[in-house]
Short mmCIF file of all heavy atoms in Angstrom, two decimals:
data_model
loop_
_atom_site.label_atom_id
_atom_site.label_comp_id
_atom_site.label_asym_id
_atom_site.label_seq_id
_atom_site.Cartn_x
_atom_site.Cartn_y
_atom_site.Cartn_z
N HIS A 184 101.82 86.77 90.48
CA HIS A 184 102.72 85.68 90.08
C HIS A 184 104.20 86.15 90.22
O HIS A 184 105.10 85.28 90.32
CB HIS A 184 102.42 85.27 88.65
CG HIS A 184 101.18 84.47 88.48
ND1 HIS A 184 99.94 85.02 88.33
CD2 HIS A 184 100.94 83.08 88.56
CE1 HIS A 184 99.01 84.07 88.20
NE2 HIS A 184 99.64 82.88 88.40
N ALA A 185 104.44 87.45 90.18
CA ALA A 185 105.80 87.93 90.27
C ALA A 185 106.46 87.48 91.57
O ALA A 185 107.68 87.18 91.63
CB ALA A 185 105.87 89.43 90.15
N TYR A 186 105.68 87.41 92.69
CA TYR A 186 106.25 87.04 93.97
C TYR A 186 106.70 85.58 94.03
O TYR A 186 107.35 85.18 94.97
CB TYR A 186 105.25 87.37 95.12
CG TYR A 186 105.01 88.83 95.23
CD1 TYR A 186 103.79 89.39 94.82
CD2 TYR A 186 105.98 89.67 95.74
CE1 TYR A 186 103.56 90.74 94.92
CE2 TYR A 186 105.72 91.04 95.91
CZ TYR A 186 104.50 91.60 95.45
OH TYR A 186 104.28 92.91 95.57
N LEU A 187 106.29 84.82 93.07
CA LEU A 187 106.73 83.43 93.02
C LEU A 187 108.15 83.33 92.46
O LEU A 187 108.78 82.22 92.54
CB LEU A 187 105.79 82.59 92.14
CG LEU A 187 104.28 82.62 92.54
CD1 LEU A 187 103.47 81.81 91.56
CD2 LEU A 187 104.10 82.09 93.95
N ASP A 188 108.70 84.33 91.91
CA ASP A 188 110.01 84.35 91.22
C ASP A 188 111.07 84.65 92.35
O ASP A 188 111.09 85.76 92.92
CB ASP A 188 110.02 85.43 90.12
CG ASP A 188 111.34 85.45 89.36
OD1 ASP A 188 112.33 84.80 89.83
OD2 ASP A 188 111.32 86.03 88.31
N PRO A 189 111.97 83.74 92.57
CA PRO A 189 113.03 83.99 93.59
C PRO A 189 113.90 85.26 93.25
O PRO A 189 114.33 85.95 94.18
CB PRO A 189 113.89 82.77 93.51
CG PRO A 189 113.01 81.69 92.96
CD PRO A 189 112.11 82.40 92.03
N ALA A 190 114.08 85.60 91.99
CA ALA A 190 114.87 86.75 91.62
C ALA A 190 114.08 88.05 92.02
O ALA A 190 114.79 88.98 92.41
CB ALA A 190 115.20 86.72 90.11
N VAL A 191 112.83 88.04 91.89
CA VAL A 191 112.03 89.21 92.30
C VAL A 191 112.16 89.35 93.78
O VAL A 191 112.41 90.46 94.29
CB VAL A 191 110.56 89.03 91.85
CG1 VAL A 191 109.66 90.06 92.58
CG2 VAL A 191 110.41 89.17 90.35
N ARG A 192 111.97 88.26 94.55
CA ARG A 192 112.02 88.35 96.01
C ARG A 192 113.37 88.77 96.53
O ARG A 192 113.51 89.47 97.51
CB ARG A 192 111.61 86.98 96.59
CG ARG A 192 110.23 86.56 96.22
CD ARG A 192 109.72 85.45 97.14
NE ARG A 192 110.54 84.25 97.10
CZ ARG A 192 110.40 83.22 96.33
NH1 ARG A 192 109.43 83.21 95.46
NH2 ARG A 192 111.20 82.17 96.42
N ALA A 193 114.46 88.37 95.82
CA ALA A 193 115.83 88.67 96.29
C ALA A 193 116.09 90.17 96.20
O ALA A 193 116.98 90.68 96.91
CB ALA A 193 116.81 87.93 95.41
N SER A 194 115.37 90.92 95.30
CA SER A 194 115.67 92.32 95.21
C SER A 194 114.67 93.15 96.07
O SER A 194 114.60 94.41 95.89
CB SER A 194 115.46 92.76 93.74
OG SER A 194 114.17 92.58 93.24
N ILE A 195 113.96 92.52 96.97
CA ILE A 195 113.09 93.21 97.91
C ILE A 195 113.56 92.92 99.32
O ILE A 195 113.47 91.82 99.81
CB ILE A 195 111.59 92.70 97.76
CG1 ILE A 195 111.12 92.97 96.35
CG2 ILE A 195 110.71 93.38 98.79
CD1 ILE A 195 109.75 92.35 96.06
N SER A 196 114.18 93.91 99.96
CA SER A 196 114.81 93.71 101.25
C SER A 196 113.88 93.11 102.31
O SER A 196 114.28 92.31 103.14
CB SER A 196 115.51 94.96 101.72
OG SER A 196 114.53 96.01 101.98
#
Side-chain angles (χ1 to χ4, degrees):
H184 287 87
Y186 295 107
L187 304 179
D188 184 345
V191 167
R192 299 196 302 269
S194 65
I195 300 173
S196 62

